[in-house]
Amino acid sequence: MATMTMIEAIRSALREEMARDERVVALGQDIGQLGGVFRATDGLLKEFGADRVFDMPLAEGVIAGSALGLAVSGLVPVAEIQFLGFTHQAFHQIAPQIARYRYRSQGRYNAQVTIRTPFGGGVRTPELHSDAIEAQFVQAPGLKVVMPSNPYDAKGMLLEAIRDPDPVLFCEPLRGYRLVKGEVPEGDYTVPFGQSRVTREGSDVTLVAWSAAVQLAERAAERLAEEGIEAKVLDLRTLVPLDVEGLVSAVESTGRCVVVHEAPLTAGFGAEVVATLQEEAFYSLEAPVARVAAPDTPYPIASIEDYYVPSVERVVDAVRRTVSAK
Amino acid sequence: MATMTMIEAIRSALREEMARDERVVALGQDIGQLGGVFRATDGLLKEFGADRVFDMPLAEGVIAGSALGLAVSGLVPVAEIQFLGFTHQAFHQIAPQIARYRYRSQGRYNAQVTIRTPFGGGVRTPELHSDAIEAQFVQAPGLKVVMPSNPYDAKGMLLEAIRDPDPVLFCEPLRGYRLVKGEVPEGDYTVPFGQSRVTREGSDVTLVAWSAAVQLAERAAERLAEEGIEAKVLDLRTLVPLDVEGLVSAVESTGRCVVVHEAPLTAGFGAEVVATLQEEAFYSLEAPVARVAAPDTPYPIASIEDYYVPSVERVVDAVRRTVSAK
Amino acid sequence: MTAQPTADDPKTEAELDLESKQEDVERSFAGPGERLEILSPDGTVRPGTEAPMSTEQVRDALRWMMLSRTVDVRAISLQRQGRMGTFSAVRGQEASVVGSSFALDPARDWIVPQYRELPGVVRHGFPLDGYLLYWMGNPAGGRVPDGVKVLPLQIALAAQLPHAVGLGWGLKLQGSESVVATYFGDGASSEGDSHEAMNLAGVMRAPVVFFLQNNGWAISTPRTKQTAAANFASRAEGYGFPGVIVDGNDLFAVYAAMREAVERARTGGGPTLIESQTYRMGAHNTADDPTRYMEPVELSGWDERDPIRRVTAWLRSQDAWDDDAEREMQAGIDRQVDEAIESAEAFAPPNPEQIYTHVYADPPERLRAQQRAALDSH
Amino acid sequence: MTAQPTADDPKTEAELDLESKQEDVERSFAGPGERLEILSPDGTVRPGTEAPMSTEQVRDALRWMMLSRTVDVRAISLQRQGRMGTFSAVRGQEASVVGSSFALDPARDWIVPQYRELPGVVRHGFPLDGYLLYWMGNPAGGRVPDGVKVLPLQIALAAQLPHAVGLGWGLKLQGSESVVATYFGDGASSEGDSHEAMNLAGVMRAPVVFFLQNNGWAISTPRTKQTAAANFASRAEGYGFPGVIVDGNDLFAVYAAMREAVERARTGGGPTLIESQTYRMGAHNTADDPTRYMEPVELSGWDERDPIRRVTAWLRSQDAWDDDAEREMQAGIDRQVDEAIESAEAFAPPNPEQIYTHVYADPPERLRAQQRAALDSH
Ligand SMILES: Cc1ncc(C[n+]2csc(CCOP(=O)(O)OP(=O)(O)O)c2C)c(N)n1
Ligand SMILES: Cc1ncc(C[n+]2csc(CCOP(=O)(O)OP(=O)(O)O)c2C)c(N)n1
Ligand SMILES: [Mg+2]
Ligand SMILES: [Mg+2]
């Protein structure tokens, strides 16, 4: 096992899978010669050549839409959209086209398409680069929405995504690209979708998070431990499919829950987490499930983003209120 | 007061406001000579002329995006997108552009833009015409999302929308266009946003709905009354702004709640309703809030749509379970 | 506002509008002198040109054109009887659709349709009963049979174009000699997808023929409100590949232009944009009322340009057609259409369970639970 | 796969790629013989053309160009010191931006920018300190002062183009004689928004000038991977209005072409697409490392085409420029830039409350509550 950053884990998944399966092709803006604006695809052009790694025109809609066509032709495309905020430009191809192609064709065609895209705040990017709009893709049945939080999952889930016969939106936490490190096996392994993971045990409250918010929850849990509150941290890992069972049992075991996400509060995926818990674990809940999220405003400009993205303090506060409720 | 259908009420709001305020212009596909595919704009071209009513090229993105420019120029555009399912094509102009223009410009410019668009099932339209994707616009801070269920509200809320200095997505229930009739005042009146309305009193359970689902909830309530269950029906009317107070007090008064919507269950706006109730009315809830929604699949083809869109039976079933819980 | 109609004479605007609309319709046929035309309205071949198809091929093409017209009539009547959903007729565009499809090889080439190409996709292998089933609202109609190289009909206009480019590009990467023909309308051409797709096709030299059916209308919107360009074919230059205009009511011109484009694509020459200038001889679909926006002359005046009439006139001039032949062919077509309708109507009725199938290869547990719950309650 | 590099010689591909990339760069300057060029690299006016600006105007334009270059240098160094966020330099495109803006009247015309037009929007009235404030990440920098006819900088490429069209069209409807100039890059031109906007502008004959700065690159993507078209100006024909190509490093050509386009728009002649063929003489922005994709020759070899050098050479030939004049002007610019940076850095520091303001005129109660809660906790 080697220690890798998120970006290294992603790059190694791409490299290995392209070597293993010659149907895999990579496409996106600046992914060739430059190796991607974050170097996720660094070296791929050199290793696999210009017939498998494509610098695309600046048009997200056709990056997504042509990936569907490539899949129908028999290839296995892995597309990069430079930032999740620019999937807005491809929304009409992702939600009503790629996600529905199996359904529309009643199983004749499937869209084995992976769309990789970074998102999330805290790194002082210009407008629209940090938008956490993952929940908007959850209402696109047919699509899977995958949210790795660490290098191990990033590699294993990216391999799973590329091999999944159905389309996957694979969201990468920008902030974690170089900051989050972890052990990553060299060879082939996959992390199945729909299986959440407890990253820290605790009996007083369950913190539910995904992507970069997992580290936030863990930091909050450390802080809480100092004051004697033991928080369990649950990494959802995938929003679609949602691990209802894992979620429910993690929360039932503590009776209290705080959901943490980077997207604005209203209609963020946290709402679904709460609604699901409320339906499935109603009688185990000892206090209202709290949500710690960004406010209902656009992502602000760099100098004030730290007041926007949920902080350890806000999580700690919410947990304190939740454990003391009733 | 005259009795009007939904479509007549909408048309009368457009006509009256265009007569009252010469800055108001209408634009959209087939809205001129044809009067719109549902005749919402019938007669406007003749009455107000080709300098205020515009048949647009077939491009939803620029219908929305140019409406923002028209607003900046000093006009008050009312754009029609032929079906909500085709706002997918305009998503990149609505969510990250129109909705954020006031914020981006720190108040220098505002997008006084109304986007009218029909949606909803039960009328045997081709694919994509019935999609209920309203929740996807709730995560677009800066935008208001308005969901009239009846002619009175349709007119009053459309007038409110056109005069609102901020952008409004105004979703019209396709199924109700000609079916739903009601009393509508002739002259000028507005229905303020963020005020839900109890359309039927009841003490056993509260049904929360918006748009065409309100009539569904009402029919279910009638059926339930026959078996002695008294259901209150709450019409949310607007998703943004959300009337948290009205919602909470309507549900607190019954202690039980069922949310009904046409969109797929997972991450539909029903999730937000449940999450909000759970946060604000936790100690009043005597049973889990149930959600009656479409399944997590794309909108199906015409002949099976009646099994997809929530039915009176499904609402009645859910209420029975909810009132007998505990 | 400038140039606003005076309140007391609002009609002027409407009148002006109608006049300009009539001009529009004419204008959309005024090619820049470079429109490919072979078969004249009177059925003669224009001087200096020649028929690009054999008499046998022409008879075969005529059969597809007549079949298409027959299906239109029957489908509209089925719709009126409540036996069919919304239906978009091909009437007027038969030469455009059939002529272009005849240049394709169903064994290796692909069609990526919009929704108004019935005889083309059926000739390519999509069964007629399945096609009708789709418009009857049966989910089974959505399934293109295995081996048939046609993608699903597209309702979101122009969204098929990026798919066609990806498909063609992918086939080329895999060393195939297949060509992808994708269809779209004058209306669809205004969508951003149309631009992004053609531009990418140019960059990748994808073997794609963009077949733009300019039928003068997008529902009620005339061509001149769709674009200020003199024609659509000129867009191709901006993508680095050839654009050609053909008389879309001329079977020979359409076929010849398509054959050349397909050949170019097949031999590595990249994409072509073909603007087929044709005319929608009727309503947009069964829900549309064209009298609201078309003049009676527009609705009837196109009969002389009827693409079918031209072909029969030519066949007659070749002594390869007469009333008997016509009766016989029509009778055969009627039987075929009857059978297809019967077969579609006899098809297994739709099943609510089909809502849940083909969403995912391996559905999330939550979706399985929804399916179980629904089946319990039905 | 066809044409895949053999596994044992993977370098061939990379080498081939580099070669073709160098060709690309050259090709993006090979206009089709119709490129407007007035001022040669050596500072002389080409035979048969004449300077379209007075010496005074040229000196003024030069000042804006030098200001721009000075801001670039200072901003990059501020960024390295952590006093400024990501910054996109104008270097190499000064003639393109300044020349085009000089044809606009700040009192009535509008600029709808992308993000690489600093001297243009500042000349139009956007204060330099406010501009810097924006890139320093202060929300106040987003506010265009009242009365200044500039829309906010746009980060989502090409999304500004529909706004520009709506603005121009709306102004025309209200009887104004204002013209809207909108800027976008060769990269942005591939977005669907670019097509939809230009097409609508044609239909509405909106008084809009589409000023496409083809600087050869979109981050690392060379022009020839952006489109297979020989040039971008040819797209205009497909929208029914004129398209022109200018040497974008030639202040006179840019100004002359823009002046004509603005005049056409102002007098009801509708839109124009101007392709300004220029060159990004450096990194995409402060986060970019162009040595990964540009050859050293590409990075340095453009100095002789430096748009500033040409203008000073011309002024010298007119005896209107010398080393003293240059020193003096540079000193004044340095003072101005110092002051702007000082003023930006002295600006009221950002306030977390600004997260909540300007979202709505009348914020929903829930947002107010979020704001109250946040303020309690800070
Ligand atoms: C993205 C999108 N917007 C709007 C519609 C509604 N609509 C259906 S057909 C049509 C007109 C299409 O015109 P054209 O592309 O010329 O094709 P034609 O019907 O003439 O064959 C419209 C606006 C749609 N189906 N898709
Ligand atoms: C819709 C969108 N996609 C991607 C990006 C990321 N991005 C920022 S600048 C850039 C290149 C822009 O190239 P061009 O339009 O030529 O402008 P230039 O930077 O050369 O001035 C890209 C891809 C973006 N900002 N917006
Ligand atoms: Mg058409
Ligand atoms: Mg560029």
Side-chain angles (χ1 to χ4, degrees), chain C residues 212-227:
Chain C
L212 190 162
Q213 294 202 79
N214 172 5
N215 65 2
W217 298 94
I219 308 185
S220 75
T221 309
R223 210 278 299 153
T224 48
K225 288 191 175 173
Q226 202 61 246
T227 186

Side-chain angles (χ1 to χ4, degrees), chain A residues 182-250:
Chain A
E183 298 277 279
V184 176
E186 296 286 306
D188 187 13
Y189 68 97
T190 57
V191 173
F193 296 157
Q195 299 188 3
S196 61
R197 193 170 77 94
V198 174
T199 71
R200 179 191 174 104
E201 280 299 346
S203 52
D204 296 325
V205 62
T206 303
L207 301 181
V208 176
W210 52 91
S211 196
V214 172
Q215 278 86 34
L216 183 70
E218 285 171 344
R219 286 207 307 281
E222 278 162 36
R223 189 85 71 78
L224 288 159
E226 294 165 15
E227 44 190 274
I229 299 173
E230 290 305 327
K232 184 191 296 255
V233 176
L234 185 76
D235 180 351
L236 275 186
R237 289 164 130 193
T238 59
L239 306 188
V240 182
L242 177 62
D243 180 9
V244 176
E245 211 181 293
L247 171 65
V248 167
S249 78

Side-chain angles (χ1 to χ4, degrees), chain A residues 22 30 33-34 39 42 46 50-51 57-60 75 89 127-129 265-266 295-297 301 303-304 307, chain D residues 1-3 13 17 134 137 139 155 157 187 190-191 218-221 226 292-293 350 352 355-356 366-367 370:
Chain A
E22 74 151 18
D30 305 298
Q33 191 71 25
L34 181 63
R39 311 287 181 265
D42 198 18
K46 199 162 175 197
D51 265 346
L58 212 164
E60 289 78 9
L75 297 176
Q89 263 72 4
E127 210 199 331
L128 289 162
H129 288 62
L265 179 86
T266 301
D296 291 330
T297 79
I301 201 162
S303 67
I304 47 179
Y307 301 99
Chain D
M1 314 240 156
T2 52
E13 267 308 318
D17 195 62
Y134 176 83
I155 298 299
L157 293 160
S190 295
E191 290 282 358
I219 307 186
S220 75
T221 311
Q226 201 61 248
R292 293 182 65 96
Y293 55 84
I355 287 171
Y356 302 89
R366 172 173 266 191
L367 179 55
Q370 291 172 356

Side-chain angles (χ1 to χ4, degrees), chain D residues 25 29 115 122 166 186 194 218 220 315 321 324 346 366:
Chain D
V25 175
F29 292 86
Y115 52 70
V122 173
D186 47 315
S194 147
S220 75
L315 281 173
W321 195 248
D324 281 348
R366 172 173 266 191

Side-chain angles (χ1 to χ4, degrees), chain A residues 100 131 267 272 279 291, chain B residues 100 131 267 272 278-279 291:
Chain A
R100 300 189 199 186
D131 284 39
E272 181 57 49
E279 278 153 19
R291 292 182 283 171
Chain B
R100 300 189 198 185
D131 284 38
E272 181 57 49
Q278 204 270 168
E279 278 154 19
R291 291 182 284 172

